Amino acid sequence: MSHVLPTYARFPVTLVRGEGTRVWDDAGKSYLDFCTGIAVCALGHCPPRLVEAIREQAGTLMHVSNLYSVPQQGELARVIVEDHVKLPGKVFFANSGAESNDGLIKTARRFGHARPLPDGSPRYEVISFTKSFHGRTLGGINATGQDKVKEGFDPMLPGFRHLPLNDLAGLEAAIAPETVAILLEPIQGEGGVNVVTPEFLRGVAALCKKHDLLLMLDEVQTGFGRCGQPMAWRAIAPEVQPDAISWAKGMGGGFPIGAFWLSERAIDASGKTLASLMGAGSHGTTYGGNPLACAASLAVLAEIAEQDLGAHVLKQEQRIREQIAAWNLPVITEVRGIGLLLGIGLDVSKFEVPEGKLPAGYVCGKLLEAGLLVPPAGPETIRLLPPLNVSDSEVDEALAILKTVLQSL
């Protein structure tokens, strides 16, 4: 690893093999994986259906340029629109969540040109929220409401502001003539597993309609069953109709793929739609939506639907919440989140943290030593992100490790 840029604060373990909810390091030690590549391995490691889909497609046709039609891309877009979003629209395929969010930001700018200020100048400002995370590209860090991802990358791009989450009055007061879109995660993952309230999400949708703004949802971590519904916003305020959505992570089950969807909202009297704003030449990608990535995602989404994993996710959430509540451990402040995107808040006054370490990272390191992989979510929260098909016994085993470690702090 000496030739790899040191951009990650890595835990001292080298993982070399995985099967289901379990992974093994290079010394043969096994771990329960409740990190899953940060919500990527939706079906666990090496699920047979995904492996077979990749094997078959890799032996047939891996990649062609988007200069040509890709049948798997068309079918995946149909499944996403008809079975998951369930609203009219069109899909663009990308490689990652950050690339997908960049697509949303570019769409907002195009919308601002199509529906400008009265003097003809384009609207351009995107409002997002503090503690949000929208990726590591330059567009992504500008949209992100955390200073730590921006340090040393000044000057920032113009046209972004960040406001407190769930403060509807503050949001309404902040909307300016140049504002063109509001971008939010239904559940902030990286920022601490903070859930938008139904009242806030409904209020944001109403403000977007009142001020002619786009409502853009970042479902990169929450989409495709992670929160028990195909889309997380439907678990919070199902009647809300967004204008745009981004995804990545779990939609490929470990194979890199991202996407964003744009609605068929009419944007002028002629009936021109939002989706049509991104026409030929407006956006592109080399690898996004190639046959191999789409075949992998089709296999993942089919397995989630056919096994009814959304219902299973909600069952496991209930089991996890009930068991943790019964512990009555003072070090736990609360359990936040929906489905199998759960954050456990830590009372950092209840344990000593070695100098130079953040509390959540320290606890994650202790859990790793005990055989359980979980990621931090901000400085004082740890996340539980098991695969959507995690079993009762695996949940029980993970919680036993968690309880023992937290009791030992």
Side-chain angles (χ1 to χ4, degrees):
M1 298 292 286
S2 61
H3 295 86
V4 177
L5 275 176
T7 56
Y8 300 100
R10 300 179 194 269
F11 290 103
V13 64
T14 301
L15 302 174
V16 296
R17 185 166 69 87
E19 182 178 343
T21 310
R22 200 168 292 276
V23 290
W24 286 262
D25 68 17
D26 56 355
K29 180 179 176 179
S30 71
Y31 304 81
L32 271 175
D33 189 359
F34 275 46
C35 174
T36 53
I38 309 185
V40 166
C41 303
L43 304 177
H45 296 277
C46 304
R49 186 170 188 163
L50 175 57
V51 170
E52 182 54 34
I54 292 173
R55 180 182 288 124
E56 181 178 347
Q57 190 60 49
T60 305
L61 184 66
M62 273 197 243
H63 177 82
V64 295
S65 169
N66 279 307
L67 291 171
Y68 312 103
S69 294
V70 179
Q72 297 85 353
Q73 197 178 107
E75 175 60 10
L76 182 56
R78 185 197 65 77
V79 169
I80 290 172
V81 171
E82 295 183 2
D83 299 343
H84 294 266
V85 179
K86 299 179 181 177
L87 294 170
K90 298 189 187 313
V91 176
F92 177 92
F93 290 102
N95 303 304
S96 67
E99 188 188 3
S100 300
N101 282 332
D102 270 5
L104 293 192
I105 294 166
K106 287 180 67 175
T107 301
R109 293 285 179 101
R110 279 245 161 170
F111 181 69
H113 279 261
R115 297 177 73 91
L117 291 166
D119 66 1
S121 57
R123 296 183 294 156
Y124 58 88
E125 182 185 66
V126 174
I127 292 178
S128 61
F129 298 92
T130 53
K131 299 185 179 180
S132 62
F133 183 79
H134 299 293
R136 297 279 186 174
T137 60
L138 194 57
I141 66 172
N142 277 271
T144 291
Q146 301 186 57
D147 290 339
K148 68 180 183 182
V149 305
K150 304 175 184 179
E151 292 174 358
F153 297 114
D154 295 303
M156 290 292 106
L157 299 175
F160 294 91
R161 274 192 297 157
H162 309 98
L163 303 172
L165 191 68
N166 289 330
D167 179 0
L168 193 61
L171 172 62
E172 183 166 20
I175 293 172
E178 64 270 19
T179 304
V180 73
I182 296 173
L183 172 63
L184 64 83
E185 299 159 280
I187 304 174
Q188 293 180 337
E190 180 73 17
V193 190
N194 306 304
V195 183
V196 300
T197 65
E199 297 77 17
F200 184 72
L201 187 52
R202 293 181 186 119
V204 172
L207 288 175
C208 285
K209 188 173 183 180
K210 177 181 178 181
H211 295 277
D212 192 26
L213 313 178
L214 296 184
L215 172 56
M216 307 194 301
L217 300 183
D218 177 342
E219 293 247 15
V220 167
Q221 187 166 147
T222 56
F224 300 113
R226 172 59 57 185
C227 299
Q229 294 280 345
M231 298 292 119
W233 105 79
R234 292 197 186 278
I236 299 169
E239 75 280 14
V240 165
Q241 295 192 5
D243 297 301
I245 313 171
S246 59
W247 305 283
K249 293 191 180 291
M251 72 179 290
F255 197 94
I257 185 171
F260 67 88
W261 167 90
L262 301 178
S263 76
E264 298 286 6
R265 165 184 175 173
I267 61 168
D268 64 23
S270 73
K272 187 174 184 178
T273 67
L274 177 66
S276 69
L277 280 178
M278 301 300 276
S282 65
H283 198 46
T285 182
T286 296
Y287 297 105
N290 76 13
L292 189 55
C294 290
S297 186
L298 281 166
V300 171
L301 300 191
E303 185 75 1
I304 291 171
E306 292 173 16
Q307 299 302 319
D308 194 15
L309 291 183
H312 182 74
V313 161
L314 296 178
K315 171 194 162 191
Q316 296 302 346
E317 176 195 1
Q318 183 177 359
R319 296 184 72 251
I320 291 170
R321 285 184 177 277
E322 289 175 352
Q323 290 195 47
I324 291 179
W327 298 345
N328 196 26
L329 284 179
V331 71
I332 297 176
T333 59
E334 63 178 328
V335 177
R336 301 187 293 272
I338 299 175
L340 291 178
L341 168 51
L342 295 174
I344 300 174
L346 302 171
D347 184 344
V348 298
S349 69
K350 296 293 192 288
F351 60 99
E352 296 289 331
V353 180
E355 188 173 348
K357 290 184 178 292
L358 293 174
Y362 170 67
V363 173
C364 288
K366 301 290 284 186
L367 290 167
L368 182 146
E369 292 173 6
L372 175 63
L373 303 184
V374 300
E380 299 176 357
T381 303
I382 60 174
R383 259 179 294 184
L384 300 182
L385 297 167
L388 308 187
N389 53 5
V390 65
S391 70
D392 289 2
S393 61
E394 290 163 343
V395 167
D396 293 343
E397 184 181 353
L399 292 179
I401 295 171
L402 179 63
K403 182 180 180 182
T404 299
V405 168
L406 293 181
Q407 286 176 323
S408 72
L409 293 176

